[in-house]
Amino acid sequence: MKCLQATKLISESQERKLNFTEKVGVKTHLMFCPHCRNFKLHCEQMSKLMKNFANNS
Ligand SMILES: [Zn+2]
């Protein structure tokens, strides 16, 4: 899997459940790609912030 695919799936995972193949693909990619690990962290933080924002308004 390439970074482009991995980051796409990571951001999609905030919106929908990934299937088994996608999950395994992303997990494997994250094991050797620190760039995408950072991206995932960032995505999760953003999605938490957005949820908090939605709840407070
Ligand atoms: Zn990557």
Side-chain angles (χ1 to χ4, degrees), residues 1-4 6-7 29-30 32-37:
M1 187 179 289
K2 291 205 170 86
C3 286
L4 194 70
T7 51
H29 184 88
L30 289 178
F32 60 85
C33 183
H35 169 76
C36 290
R37 278 205 296 271

Side-chain angles (χ1 to χ4, degrees), residues 9-57:
L9 284 176
I10 289 164
S11 50
E12 278 183 18
S13 76
Q14 309 297 320
E15 312 287 321
R16 66 171 176 93
K17 282 260 178 283
L18 300 182
N19 69 37
F20 183 75
T21 321
E22 290 170 330
K23 256 193 235 170
V24 171
V26 170
K27 235 183 186 174
T28 313
H29 184 88
L30 289 178
M31 279 197 289
F32 60 85
C33 183
H35 169 76
C36 290
R37 278 205 296 271
N38 276 338
F39 178 82
K40 183 170 182 278
L41 274 181
H42 184 75
C43 264
E44 286 169 352
Q45 278 169 355
M46 279 307 286
S47 118
K48 261 187 219 161
L49 280 179
M50 291 306 282
K51 273 178 199 151
N52 284 340
F53 185 74
N55 287 338
N56 290 334
S57 61

